[in-house]
Amino acid sequence: MRMGTGQRKKIAFLTLGCKLNYAETSTYQRGFAEAGLQIVPWNEQADIYLINTCSVTSVSDAKSRNLIRKVHRVNPCAAVIVTGCSAELRRKEIETIPGVTRVFGCKEKSAVVPDTLRLLGLDCAFPDGTEEIFAAWSSGERTRSFLKVQDGCDNMCSYCTVPYARGASRNIPISACVENAVKIASMGVKEVVLTGVNTGDFGKSTGESFLDLLKALNEVEGIERWRISSIEPNLLSDEIVDWIASGTKFQPHFHIPLQSGSDVLLEKMGRRYDTAAFAARMQYIRNTMEGPGRPKVFFGIDVMAGLPGESEELFRTAYAFLERVAPAFIHVFPYSRRPGTPAADMPGQVSEGVKKERVAALEALSARLHSEFIEANRGIRETVLFESTERNGLMEGYTGNYIRISRPWDKELCGKLVEVIL
């Protein structure tokens, strides 16, 4: 490894995967910038490349490895630092890839900045990174930030590698979450999205409650809108829903993992609810938060196509359930067979061709349901937070219930909440 001397070191970042990864990368960026490094785009010549990997599917793992190799080919003299879920699950394999200088696993994230600086012989005023959970939040956008409040998962669903990649469920104390939210507010950001692996499980490591976290964050001055990025249906309690609906800054927008609309498959995959409970949760939220002249609640739902044992009959059952509960959006994934998980060895593995057909069918359903959701909101009064990016003379933003709105560019409206009639 050859590094330039007598000049400011350059570092570039590449991130794959979820919003949690992006929040963590953004925090690394701030740390390295504070240490005096120059942040540059990844396609520029840099002294150091930090790659935050994803392992949610076999394709994600392959992309992570290919990206590491590509960076090394582009700049063989650079140091390549690798972290993220693939780094945890495929550590030995990644350490053998030419150019890789250091790999950081899931419990070493707080050491990424200080250890990398020391490794490169640079001055480091940062403490040793020994925290069990790495606090993180994203910066760089004027309107929205992602605030990490929780990490890890204890559910051990049959298809999932996340508990192995990110460890047990643990959380950042409410006081630290509020402190980070205040920092975000000081940057002029108006909207914050709470992120975590199993966000609603907040409190496992500090004895606090998710509802107490929401109440504390709701009081942070300067932040005008809050969203919950993803929460398991069994953790979204009546008490939480009632409080959100009572006139808080939390928006009528919920992202809830379902994974399958078949009770047979939900049980087989180790999910902690059935379709009746899931539908009842959605209906309770609608009954509590909707009403004449009020926005419809946006439900985004995660669904896997082609889980082991998903016959054509079970797929039709799952499809009919989704059609009946009518979310605003379905985030569709083809099931990815992950070595070491119980589902990988289950009989009834579905062919890739059939998965592709089912993904297409669910995506078409999602498009139709989203159009119906938008129509159901026609004539409703809502507020839009406009973003600061100009696209072909237009500016865009989201309503509280996550409908994307476009209007002619007006610099004065950037980062502002504007009332509209849908």
Side-chain angles (χ1 to χ4, degrees):
M1 178 182 67
R2 185 172 72 252
M3 302 278 294
T5 57
Q7 60 184 4
R8 193 177 176 197
K9 305 301 183 195
K10 295 179 179 180
I11 184 168
F13 298 84
L14 300 94
T15 305
L16 296 171
C18 63
K19 296 299 184 183
L20 202 53
N21 270 10
Y22 281 89
E24 289 170 349
T25 296
S26 190
T27 303
Y28 299 141
Q29 288 178 332
R30 291 192 302 275
F32 283 113
E34 186 179 336
L37 276 69
Q38 180 182 352
I39 312 298
V40 298
W42 79 270
N43 54 357
E44 285 191 18
Q45 289 286 305
D47 300 296
I48 311 149
Y49 293 87
L50 189 147
I51 302 175
N52 199 347
T53 62
C54 177
S55 186
V56 70
T57 66
S58 56
V59 172
S60 302
D61 268 327
K63 282 183 178 179
S64 298
R65 294 191 298 270
N66 290 339
L67 201 53
I68 295 166
R69 295 187 179 99
K70 182 176 181 178
V71 164
H72 180 60
R73 286 196 303 270
V74 169
N75 191 353
C77 297
V80 179
I81 307 299
V82 185
T83 186
C85 291
S86 194
E88 174 68 24
L89 295 176
R90 304 283 181 268
R91 184 171 193 143
K92 290 184 178 179
E93 181 182 352
I94 288 174
E95 286 176 336
T96 65
I97 297 176
V100 172
T101 305
R102 175 68 192 273
V103 176
F104 292 89
C106 74
K107 292 186 177 180
E108 301 170 287
K109 291 178 182 180
S110 61
V112 167
V113 173
D115 281 16
T116 299
L117 293 173
R118 294 186 185 102
L119 182 68
L120 300 173
L122 301 175
D123 292 335
C124 178
F126 292 88
D128 292 335
T130 56
E131 294 86 356
E132 275 291 300
I133 181 168
F134 176 58
W137 50 276
S138 69
S139 51
E141 290 187 47
R142 287 182 57 187
T143 53
R144 183 178 300 108
S145 179
F146 294 87
L147 173 62
K148 175 182 174 180
V149 299
Q150 185 273 343
D151 205 343
C153 185
D154 297 335
N155 287 353
M156 304 301 291
C157 298
S158 302
Y159 54 82
C160 188
T161 60
V162 168
Y164 311 107
R166 284 191 168 265
S169 179
R170 58 205 187 280
N171 62 278
I172 296 151
I174 289 176
S175 59
C177 294
V178 170
E179 182 180 338
N180 287 335
V182 170
K183 291 177 183 177
I184 294 169
S186 71
M187 299 169 58
V189 172
K190 301 300 182 186
E191 180 175 297
V192 178
V193 184
L194 301 187
T195 63
V197 173
N198 189 1
T199 312
D201 205 32
F202 181 94
K204 277 284 183 73
S205 54
T206 60
E208 299 167 307
S209 79
F210 186 54
L211 180 55
D212 285 341
L213 170 68
L214 302 186
K215 289 179 177 179
L217 293 175
N218 195 64
E219 298 301 316
V220 174
E221 293 185 9
I223 305 300
E224 299 188 36
R225 300 207 301 197
W226 290 92
R227 299 184 193 273
I228 302 169
S229 64
S230 181
I231 184 167
E232 298 282 317
N234 53 306
L235 298 177
L236 188 51
S237 67
D238 289 359
E239 189 180 12
I240 290 172
V241 173
D242 293 345
W243 178 78
I244 290 175
S246 68
T248 69
K249 297 177 185 176
F250 284 81
Q251 303 302 297
H253 171 202
F254 297 94
H255 188 102
I256 309 178
L258 171 63
Q259 309 308 3
S260 176
S262 159
D263 285 336
V264 172
L265 293 175
L266 288 175
E267 183 177 5
K268 195 174 183 180
M269 294 301 119
R271 301 299 286 169
R272 302 188 176 193
Y273 50 83
D274 58 17
T275 55
F278 193 96
R281 186 82 325 236
M282 289 181 67
Q283 192 58 51
Y284 184 86
I285 294 169
R286 282 173 169 148
N287 290 345
T288 305
M289 302 187 72
E290 294 181 353
R294 299 176 69 182
K296 305 296 182 184
V297 176
F298 183 105
F299 289 101
I301 292 180
D302 289 340
V303 173
M304 287 192 196
L307 285 164
E310 186 184 67
S311 63
E312 184 62 31
E313 181 182 1
L314 290 182
F315 175 71
R316 288 197 300 269
T317 298
Y319 184 99
F321 175 76
L322 288 166
E323 200 169 31
R324 177 164 62 85
V325 297
F329 179 75
I330 307 171
H331 196 177
V332 187
F333 303 85
Y335 164 70
S336 179
R337 198 171 185 175
R338 311 301 286 131
T341 61
D345 299 321
M346 288 180 179
Q349 299 289 330
V350 178
S351 72
E352 294 303 314
V354 171
K355 286 181 195 175
K356 188 175 180 180
E357 291 174 359
R358 291 176 182 174
V359 166
L362 290 172
E363 287 178 342
L365 174 62
S366 177
R368 173 163 63 84
L369 292 174
H370 189 254
S371 295
E372 292 172 359
F373 174 76
I374 291 173
E375 285 303 314
N377 280 277
R378 292 287 181 194
I380 298 294
R381 188 182 300 274
E382 250 283 19
T383 56
V384 179
L385 180 60
F386 281 107
E387 299 167 358
S388 56
T389 302
E390 181 180 0
R391 296 181 179 88
N392 301 317
L394 298 174
M395 64 193 311
E396 297 180 324
Y398 285 98
T399 63
N401 64 341
Y402 214 60
I403 295 175
R404 195 159 188 83
I405 302 294
S406 297
R407 57 152 292 149
W409 170 258
D410 183 347
K411 185 179 179 181
E412 296 301 315
L413 297 183
C414 293
K416 302 281 182 62
L417 282 166
V418 180
E419 195 170 85
V420 299
I421 302 296
L422 299 175

